[in-house]
Amino acid sequence: MTGFPRYAIYFAAGADNALTRFGAELLGYEAYTEDEVSFPHEALRIAPDWRDVTADPRKYGFHGTLKAPMALASGRTEAELVTACATFAGKVRPIPLIRPIVDAISGFIAVIPAEPVDALQQLAADCVRDFDCFRPALTAEDRARRKPEKLSQRQREYLDRWGYPYVMEEFRFHMTLTGRLDAERRGPILEMLRRRFAALKLDTLEIDRITLFKQDEAKARFRIIGEWKLAR
């Protein structure tokens, strides 16, 4: 967590996808191009401090996490990780299909599956396992940053084993749109985001690729450096 550069295996919907444009407009940042994007007027009307509301997710770009950000272990290279991504994507597997909705999750608002999808849980678990050889050992400092005292016993075990607590059955796919909001603010913003999302008419979404994001240093935003369609 403290080393740089950092890499993450995420899902992003594709550079030309309407969902990608939807997320980029709301976050004010496009991870494919690294461009700043103007916020929708409707978002600014509902929340004049929209830049602050979206500050945390903006750093990461619009995505769904499959393997959480990590520095590379000693002796590992970016080229090796790129090769591993291509190998992973080339293995035939069921392509997860979700029914996406916008809802609150743990105090923030995100695009999430309307119901659990076994193939998506399996894809995320496979990413955690297959790419773990690239992750350096968890340091005491990084462990403390995760506030293990606030985690469940199982989450602490996963933190120690995989470097991240929200994996395996603790994993919940989400594509974050805001930072954490108190309940009073959340209602009007959620209504606005649901209205905008409904305009996409996106009844189903295939999680059909993995995308490699890179953060060069602590103050930098994550950017996309590779994308691989999953074999069918």
Side-chain angles (χ1 to χ4, degrees):
M1 299 177 197
T2 54
F4 289 93
R6 292 199 301 167
Y7 300 85
I9 312 296
Y10 289 157
F11 167 77
D16 298 325
N17 192 285
L19 179 61
T20 296
R21 293 193 296 274
F22 167 82
E25 288 177 356
L26 290 165
L27 298 187
Y29 172 61
E30 166 60 89
Y32 281 95
T33 61
E34 302 177 60
D35 289 339
E36 297 277 333
V37 182
S38 297
F39 297 129
H41 293 302
E42 185 180 19
L44 293 170
R45 180 175 57 80
I46 294 292
D49 62 340
W50 189 256
R51 175 163 291 276
D52 295 331
V53 167
T54 55
D56 285 342
R58 186 178 309 114
K59 293 182 295 187
Y60 298 90
F62 187 55
H63 75 277
T65 299
L66 296 170
K67 176 72 172 177
M70 61 185 178
L72 292 182
S74 177
R76 290 293 191 172
T77 68
E78 180 179 304
E80 289 175 331
L81 180 56
V82 167
T83 298
C85 287
T87 299
F88 180 93
K91 297 177 182 177
V92 175
R93 69 184 75 238
I95 304 300
L97 182 68
I98 70 171
R99 183 166 64 89
I101 61 171
V102 171
D103 207 350
I105 173 174
S106 299
F108 56 90
I109 298 171
V111 177
I112 63 172
E115 51 272 321
V117 174
D118 289 344
L120 179 52
Q121 295 295 119
Q122 186 62 57
L123 175 64
D126 289 346
C127 280
V128 168
R129 294 189 186 98
D130 286 20
F131 294 104
D132 203 57
C133 58
F134 288 93
R135 180 181 61 84
L138 189 70
T139 67
E141 179 185 6
D142 288 336
R143 188 180 191 276
R145 190 176 291 111
R146 287 290 179 191
K147 296 182 171 55
E149 69 279 2
K150 295 185 178 181
L151 301 175
S152 70
Q153 177 64 33
R154 178 57 59 87
Q155 288 167 350
R156 284 194 296 273
E157 291 171 0
Y158 285 154
L159 174 62
D160 292 335
R161 173 61 185 89
W162 303 108
Y164 191 65
Y166 307 111
V167 298
M168 309 310 169
E169 75 274 12
E170 298 289 336
F171 170 75
R172 298 176 69 187
F173 182 84
H174 56 279
M175 303 182 76
T176 307
L177 294 168
T178 73
R180 282 189 167 80
L181 299 164
D182 60 44
E184 184 177 347
R185 295 205 72 189
R186 198 180 309 139
I189 291 175
L190 179 58
E191 181 181 350
M192 179 271 294
L193 291 175
R194 283 175 168 166
R195 186 165 56 246
R196 293 187 65 85
F197 186 73
L200 298 181
K201 301 185 184 304
L202 188 63
D203 297 326
T204 60
L205 174 65
E206 280 194 329
I207 310 302
D208 64 350
R209 68 195 68 199
I210 59 170
T211 310
L212 183 60
F213 281 58
K214 180 179 181 180
Q215 182 189 33
D216 293 290
E217 47 90 16
K219 294 183 179 180
R221 293 175 183 165
F222 279 80
R223 57 191 175 90
I224 293 172
I225 63 170
E227 183 175 75
W228 297 265
K229 282 287 195 77
L230 298 175
R232 298 173 184 265

